[in-house]
Amino acid sequence: MKRIYLIGFMGSGKSTVGLYLQHTFAQTFIDTDQYIEQTRQKEISQIFADEGEDQFRQYEIQALQSLLDFDVIATGGGIVERKENYKTMHSNGVIIYLQTSFSEIMSRLKYDSSRPLWDQQITEREKLYERRHTMYKNIADHIIHTDGLHVEEIGKEIMGIMKQE
Ligand code: S3P
């Protein structure tokens, strides 16, 4: 089976779905944020605070290029912010966009303060959501509308898609 790249906004369930695929379908799985935190020995919010977003994006580019031994890769919500990542993902696998509505994301991340780009006014969050949605949609090979679906249903839909690939 080809490699799967899960893309989507913060809170769209990329890591949860990746873990499900790992446990249920024996796929090897990694999360770019987790990989960066382990290799840099720092939390993402601390990297943003100490080194800035641009440096974080460089780590993200490098992470994506290094993670070619895994079957499923959950990417950070900002992976679409750098064009280099489009090429890495397109040349090495299938890109699946987990599309989750803004209202659903709002309820999931209501108490979240760990994500620097979520920690802002609601109008700014919404603007980011709309801008990113256009980018995810344009780069994705497949889109799954996740509102109202359980992780098992999303996982099975992905495995169905991958059988056709
Ligand atoms: C970001 C999303 C986060 C993390 C960082 C920046 C973004 O990942 O990479 O806080 O720019 O959307 P998740 O999508 O896993 O929350």
Side-chain angles (χ1 to χ4, degrees):
M1 200 169 78
K2 289 183 186 166
R3 180 169 302 108
I4 301 170
Y5 289 101
L6 298 173
I7 66 167
F9 202 73
M10 296 171 252
S12 61
K14 295 160 291 185
S15 306
T16 309
V17 170
L19 282 171
Y20 174 79
L21 295 175
Q22 179 181 42
H23 293 139
T24 313
F25 297 102
Q27 300 294 298
T28 56
F29 166 68
I30 187 106
D31 182 306
T32 56
D33 283 343
Q34 205 188 330
Y35 175 83
I36 293 169
E37 287 186 335
Q38 278 164 8
T39 50
R40 310 312 307 178
Q41 287 290 299
K42 229 190 230 190
E43 287 184 358
I44 302 289
S45 56
Q46 206 54 48
I47 297 177
F48 267 73
D50 295 348
E51 306 173 46
E53 180 176 350
D54 203 53
Q55 185 57 59
F56 173 73
R57 298 294 172 212
Q58 292 307 315
Y59 295 149
E60 220 172 19
I61 292 169
Q62 290 157 11
L64 205 60
Q65 289 171 352
S66 317
L67 297 174
L68 298 175
D69 287 339
F70 292 86
D71 303 320
V72 181
I73 295 153
T75 62
I79 207 79
V80 288
E81 295 288 352
R82 293 292 181 274
K83 287 277 188 298
E84 292 94 316
N85 297 331
Y86 294 28
K87 188 165 171 271
T88 306
M89 293 193 283
H90 274 310
S91 343
N92 294 292
V94 176
I95 305 174
I96 299 181
Y97 170 25
L98 301 185
Q99 184 181 340
T100 307
S101 67
F102 184 71
S103 57
E104 177 64 30
I105 302 271
M106 278 292 285
S107 73
R108 287 187 198 172
L109 299 186
K110 207 189 285 183
Y111 302 109
D112 186 288
S113 56
S114 68
R115 293 166 164 97
L117 295 182
W118 184 249
D119 200 11
Q120 55 181 342
Q121 295 287 321
I122 185 166
T123 49
E124 294 307 310
R125 291 175 177 176
E126 208 160 4
K127 259 194 241 162
L128 181 66
Y129 176 91
E130 290 303 333
R131 190 169 68 77
R132 291 274 182 83
H133 168 63
T134 307
M135 296 196 273
Y136 299 136
K137 208 171 51 162
N138 288 343
I139 172 191
D141 296 307
H142 301 276
I143 299 177
I144 298 180
H145 295 265
T146 69
D147 282 17
L149 294 186
H150 290 292
V151 64
E152 294 84 2
E153 296 168 302
I154 301 169
K156 290 194 180 99
E157 199 169 328
I158 292 176
M159 294 312 275
I161 289 171
M162 296 311 290
K163 277 197 194 126
Q164 317 284 319
E165 277 284 347

